[in-house]
Amino acid sequence: MPVHVLSEGAGPGAQVPAHLTRISISLISTSIDCSKKTVKGKVVHKGRLVSLADDDFILKTVIQEEDSQPDTTSINVVLLGALAKDFNQAVNQGVSRPPPPADPRSPLAAKRSSTLSAEVSRAPKAPKYTYVKLGDLKPGAVVNVYGVVVFFKQPFKSRGTDFCSTLKITDPSNRKIGCTVFCEKLDNHPKIFRIGDIIRMHRVKTQFFNDSITLVNTFGFSVVTFDGTVGGAVEPRASSRSFHFDQEDRRTVEELRSWAASQTVLPSAPTIPLSAVQPKAYFDLTCQLLARADIDCTCTLLRVWDGTRCPHRLLKVIVAPDAIEGPSSFSTEKEKLIANILAYDNHVESAKQLKIGDFLRIYNLRAIPGSSKVPGLTSSQSDQVDHLAFHLHGGTAYGRGIRVLPENSPDVQELKRTIEGFAEDDELNDSALLEIWSTPPESPSDAGTAESSTERSCSHDVQPTTLSELKRSDPGGVHHVRVQLRSYEPQRLHQALKLYCSKCTSMQDVPDDELVAGLFSEASGDSGPCTPPAWALSGRVNIPGGSSGSSKRALGVHLSTQLMSEGKTKELIFLMGSTLAETCRLASGYQNIVPVRSSGGQLTLLDLSAPFLFRGRKRYYGCRRCSEAALREPSAEGVELIDEKIVAEALGIQLLKFCLLMKLELQDATDTLEVFLWRDAELFFSVSAEDAAANQEAQDRIRQTMDFLSSPEGSTGECPWLDVCLSAYRAADDGGQNRTCYQICHTAFTKLPSEPARS
DNA sequence: GTTTAGGGTTAG
């Protein structure tokens, strides 16, 4: 039997016998008589010709219908005998165009596979993406590639309609390939943070330019990048809503990482902390934005820090306080760590997009010594000579630009640790804490030598002092004291629970149930018609009756199509029109509940004063200032567990962290002292603040600890003694006056009386 | 069915 290959574009009747009719591959099933049917498609896989006996062969092939979803409309075909042999000779695996026209995990594909896969026998998997080695690139093709980034620019505005990213990549073939990405949306551009990042691009076309091949994105382009650190987590940074990622991708990334690590030719441009900045040098800085001010239309001031102190004197730029976005001043200690950066020309626009609190990487920043000419107002210029000024010059040469780093990136995690290390001495400066508390100390009591009820875990090598000595000593530093608890606030311990934003460092009370219930009832008020987003499947859910026997009712729910197709239906629901009590009741049956409402005919989230997420008994809140909340479909691709972080990220919410804040009055024989328990409160109580917000046991533990510490013990009739590590720091109060504050650090309560049995 | 850019320091 001869095998004919249809030429591209040939009509269906051209070479096919007339008694045969063509059907779509998606219609093939075991209940259909296929004997007079044909299919038309492309050979996306051609197996090896296997010889069974003399002149008897077997060969497997996969045929995929064109212009269709890859994992739903291909068939496995087993060819036998001479047909297998003829096929093997006549047919080539055709990848004249890039294999799949759409990401195989697109919602459409997922939806179809979930409904059809059980009924129809087809290829079990989408055809794999094939990646062309950079050394094998030929002009005039559309390909998928992997590479290691050796140069990149942040996206910049082109003269056309799009932003443009330019980068250069390499791979073990050692060929360096320039790439250009044009996209209107910044979000669709590759998320490259540093040289050495790994990049995967789908559907880029090869072009000849200046005697070498370059890559440019083309239709259906998608890109994913990865950190290039050997041994680091392989976390895809996608630039599209859905993308394919499997174990083979993981392997490829790891192979490229190890290869790159062995290459000395890869230029390494480590980011430099402010403490290591050299005058005249260009460098990349990883930092947090604290404040911003427009100087003129070609220059914007960015005030940043990275928790380290630059040994050189830094240029001060004086700006009118009302021109500053963010705090107009900081504590004296913090000011010493803040660098003023002048961003010029094209960077003024990108500086505008930044939010106070953002974590940034600023590329190709220049430290200029002795600068005295700065647009706008500078303080007395004569005493600014030999001060370092940081300039981000106009243009994009050498990758000059600004990039916001995501909070979960390893570099930001490290930055936060550095900043928090400083925060131990300073973070409680701003009036936040001083506003919440204010009561003066009183008189001393007797000293004791009893066993301590706490244990210090710090490594500070300081001798214990008395409170009166401590009060006389210079402000700052750490101190060890032996003290008793005299009093504490708040007496109502639930008031010690706060919500803290690590981005803008604001702190707020946890909204009480009455307030939250009010928001739910207000949200269910708008019951007009409402359009759910395209990715959602809508249905109803029965609310289990409460113990009071309240009437059952059904509420609207919306589910993510993609999560459903992954069998994760119950892991996340968007619930509409429920009361707070009903939401809590349903939370026992669904892992994640996001309350939603109808607003102006659209489905939206509730006001951020309400929890945006219920997980069992836990509720999670977002920062009103730092969130850009919107209802979006979360991607759970490769995610083991959908948790508050995944949901918050998908919804653009800056997650607030539960924390505990108390003010304790301590005493010893010499004096009394007010101290805060905040940063290490969880360590002190051996309880997480999040648990304290949700469960009685954790609350009991805090209550028992405070009861124990404030009640007379045994025959001595004294309160228990505590060995405590205190950190002292200067902080400005409301009136701008600096005063010394103390905070308990590195200290854990150890002597809890036996816990009562629980059922 | 594709214009833009196609790396290589501002000059404050």
Side-chain angles (χ1 to χ4, degrees):
Chain A
M1 179 174 179
V3 171
H4 297 285
V5 178
L6 290 170
S7 57
E8 190 87 49
Q15 297 144 296
V16 180
H19 69 285
L20 299 179
T21 52
R22 182 182 164 201
I23 63 165
S24 162
I25 288 179
S26 64
L27 296 174
I28 298 176
S29 81
T30 47
S31 59
I32 283 187
D33 174 12
C34 291
S35 58
K36 296 198 170 66
K37 300 284 189 281
T38 67
V39 296
K40 183 185 171 196
K42 190 158 274 180
V43 176
V44 292
H45 171 80
K46 188 180 107 179
R48 202 162 51 85
L49 184 70
V50 178
S51 170
L52 299 171
D54 280 351
D55 242 17
D56 191 10
F57 300 94
I58 184 168
L59 180 148
K60 186 191 151 185
T61 182
V62 179
I63 297 175
Q64 184 189 302
E65 204 152 69
E66 297 218 66
D67 308 323
S68 59
Q69 299 298 318
D71 65 344
T72 57
T73 48
S74 57
I75 42 171
N76 290 336
V77 181
V78 177
L79 303 167
L80 300 167
L83 185 59
K85 195 178 165 190
D86 291 347
F87 184 92
N88 186 48
Q89 284 169 355
V91 176
N92 290 316
Q93 186 168 311
V95 197
S96 63
R97 282 193 225 161
D103 263 339
R105 300 295 183 89
S106 73
L108 180 59
K111 202 186 286 179
R112 292 178 63 168
S113 71
S114 66
T115 53
L116 295 175
S117 59
E119 300 160 24
V120 184
S121 166
R122 287 184 311 267
K125 275 195 172 168
K128 292 240 171 185
Y129 286 92
T130 51
Y131 296 94
V132 179
K133 294 191 183 76
L134 300 181
D136 296 340
L137 288 174
K138 303 277 180 291
V142 174
V143 293
N144 306 320
V145 294
Y146 259 103
V148 180
V149 175
V150 293
F151 170 78
F152 66 103
K153 281 183 182 187
Q154 295 305 328
F156 57 92
K157 198 93 191 84
S158 74
R159 283 175 223 267
T161 56
D162 297 332
F163 280 94
C164 173
S165 291
T166 58
L167 51 140
K168 193 168 271 180
I169 62 176
T170 189
D171 74 358
S173 66
N174 255 323
R175 190 152 167 204
K176 294 197 176 53
I177 299 289
C179 314
T180 309
V181 174
F182 294 109
C183 283
E184 207 167 346
K185 289 186 190 150
L186 281 172
D187 242 12
N188 297 332
H189 280 259
K191 294 179 171 48
I192 305 172
F193 301 151
R194 68 199 318 160
I195 285 167
D197 280 354
I198 312 291
I199 186 168
R200 183 193 79 180
M201 291 186 285
H202 284 172
R203 292 165 285 259
V204 282
K205 60 183 175 191
T206 54
Q207 286 183 343
F208 242 114
F209 182 76
N210 276 349
D211 293 337
S212 47
I213 285 195
T214 60
L215 295 171
V216 184
N217 61 313
T218 182
F219 300 108
F221 168 76
S222 79
V223 59
V224 183
T225 59
F226 305 86
D227 189 285
T229 313
V230 174
V234 181
E235 280 197 27
R237 308 196 285 248
S239 298
S240 47
R241 289 282 293 119
S242 76
F243 62 99
H244 178 86
F245 178 72
D246 61 21
Q247 286 309 313
E248 202 160 318
D249 289 290
R250 180 183 301 275
R251 216 168 24 248
T252 308
V253 169
E254 282 168 349
E255 281 167 12
L256 281 171
R257 282 175 171 179
S258 346
W259 171 78
S262 69
Q263 296 307 106
T264 47
V265 291
L266 279 182
S268 69
T271 77
I272 285 185
L274 287 171
S275 59
V277 165
Q278 297 297 319
K280 293 187 184 170
Y282 288 96
F283 65 106
D284 296 345
L285 178 68
T286 309
C287 57
Q288 187 182 30
L289 181 65
L290 297 174
R292 166 186 40 205
D294 289 332
I295 301 285
D296 59 38
C297 65
T298 71
C299 182
T300 293
L301 169 69
L302 299 176
R303 307 204 71 208
V304 305
W305 74 329
D306 70 358
T308 74
R309 184 167 177 180
C310 181
H312 306 273
R313 292 166 52 120
L314 301 181
L315 178 82
K316 292 194 188 71
V317 182
I318 297 172
V319 183
D322 59 1
I324 295 183
E325 222 179 307
S328 57
S329 71
F330 296 86
S331 71
T332 331
E333 284 305 307
K334 194 164 179 175
E335 281 288 350
K336 289 178 187 160
L337 306 192
I338 298 176
N340 292 315
I341 293 173
L342 295 163
Y344 290 95
D345 303 340
N346 51 319
H347 308 299
V348 167
E349 182 56 34
S350 29
K352 267 205 187 81
Q353 312 301 321
L354 305 175
K355 293 192 291 298
I356 304 302
D358 273 350
F359 296 99
L360 310 176
R361 182 159 293 150
I362 304 180
Y363 300 91
N364 199 239
L365 195 54
R366 191 174 189 203
I368 300 181
S371 171
S372 58
K373 276 204 249 167
V374 175
L377 298 163
T378 60
S379 62
S380 158
Q381 294 187 352
S382 58
D383 68 8
Q384 291 294 310
V385 175
D386 291 332
H387 284 52
L388 275 191
F390 296 107
H391 287 224
L392 185 65
H393 293 303
T396 62
Y398 283 86
R400 191 177 302 134
I402 306 175
R403 148 74 80 187
V404 176
L405 296 177
E407 196 133 354
N408 63 359
S409 85
D411 295 314
V412 169
Q413 294 300 318
E414 198 187 321
L415 174 63
K416 284 170 92 174
R417 280 194 292 275
T418 318
I419 290 174
E420 278 163 19
F422 172 78
E424 182 176 330
D425 299 327
D426 187 79
E427 190 52 66
L428 296 176
N429 58 3
D430 304 332
S431 36
L433 293 192
L434 297 174
E435 274 168 19
I436 300 176
W437 312 97
S438 59
T439 8
E442 286 171 28
S443 61
S445 87
D446 291 333
T449 52
E451 196 188 335
S452 175
S453 301
T454 55
E455 197 168 87
R456 288 191 303 256
S457 56
C458 58
S459 53
H460 307 124
D461 187 20
V462 262
Q463 289 303 305
T465 62
T466 64
L467 292 181
S468 67
E469 280 171 336
L470 183 149
K471 281 182 159 178
R472 285 196 303 271
S473 62
D474 290 336
V478 291
H479 307 271
H480 290 172
V481 293
R482 188 172 174 79
V483 292
Q484 290 169 301
L485 180 67
R486 186 178 162 89
S487 66
Y488 63 89
E489 291 177 55
Q491 281 284 319
R492 299 165 65 124
L493 285 172
H494 66 92
Q495 293 171 345
L497 204 60
K498 308 283 178 194
L499 291 166
Y500 176 73
C501 177
S502 61
K503 195 156 192 179
C504 65
T505 70
S506 66
M507 204 181 311
Q508 65 183 73
D509 289 322
V510 181
D512 61 34
D513 272 8
E514 201 181 332
L515 176 78
V516 174
L519 291 165
F520 272 78
S521 111
E522 191 260 323
S524 57
D526 185 346
S527 52
C530 154
T531 320
W535 48 263
L537 281 181
S538 306
R540 319 276 302 165
V541 64
N542 284 319
I543 300 288
S547 50
S548 58
S550 56
S551 63
K552 275 190 181 177
R553 59 188 197 118
L555 292 175
V557 287
H558 304 279
L559 304 166
S560 148
T561 318
Q562 178 161 357
L563 291 181
M564 283 185 74
S565 74
E566 290 171 19
K568 295 175 178 166
T569 309
K570 286 194 121 187
E571 293 186 23
L572 175 63
I573 65 168
F574 297 88
L575 181 64
M576 194 164 147
S578 62
T579 64
L580 173 61
E582 288 167 338
T583 312
C584 295
R585 250 178 277 146
L586 268 186
S588 56
Y590 293 87
Q591 278 181 32
N592 294 285
I593 297 182
V594 175
V596 290
R597 62 176 296 176
S598 160
S599 176
Q602 293 295 311
L603 201 61
T604 64
L605 296 170
L606 266 58
D607 183 280
L608 278 186
S609 301
F612 71 92
L613 174 66
F614 289 72
R615 275 176 65 74
R617 295 171 68 180
K618 293 186 176 172
R619 304 175 188 181
Y620 294 93
Y621 295 84
C623 180
R624 295 174 66 94
R625 187 161 147 193
C626 301
S627 302
E628 286 183 64
L631 196 55
R632 283 182 283 254
E633 183 176 34
S635 161
E637 191 80 44
V639 164
E640 293 268 310
L641 179 74
I642 301 176
D643 62 11
E644 66 278 7
K645 293 195 181 96
I646 303 274
V647 178
E649 194 178 332
L651 301 176
I653 285 174
Q654 174 69 33
L655 196 60
L656 291 177
K657 195 175 172 309
F658 283 100
C659 66
L660 292 162
L661 171 65
M662 299 183 72
K663 189 173 66 172
L664 313 186
E665 189 186 3
L666 306 177
Q667 64 181 22
D668 69 1
T670 64
D671 209 341
T672 66
L673 182 70
E674 280 185 348
V675 304
F676 291 113
L677 178 56
W678 178 60
R679 195 188 69 116
D680 284 350
E682 293 181 319
L683 170 72
F684 188 87
F685 293 113
S686 303
V687 156
S688 85
E690 197 175 296
D691 285 343
N695 84 59
Q696 191 62 45
E697 223 165 297
Q699 290 162 18
D700 288 348
R701 197 176 165 86
I702 297 174
R703 160 60 57 207
Q704 287 165 9
T705 304
M706 295 316 292
D707 285 351
F708 179 83
L709 292 179
S710 41
S711 62
E713 207 187 13
S715 55
T716 61
E718 283 192 321
C719 287
W721 285 87
L722 317 171
D723 285 318
V724 171
C725 176
L726 289 179
S727 154
Y729 51 93
R730 300 287 289 168
D733 62 19
D734 279 347
Q737 291 292 308
N738 266 337
R739 65 176 247 202
T740 303
C741 296
Y742 299 90
Q743 196 180 151
I744 295 180
C745 295
H746 313 292
T747 305
F749 179 73
T750 52
K751 206 180 167 182
L752 199 61
S754 58
E755 306 232 6
R758 262 165 226 297
S759 52

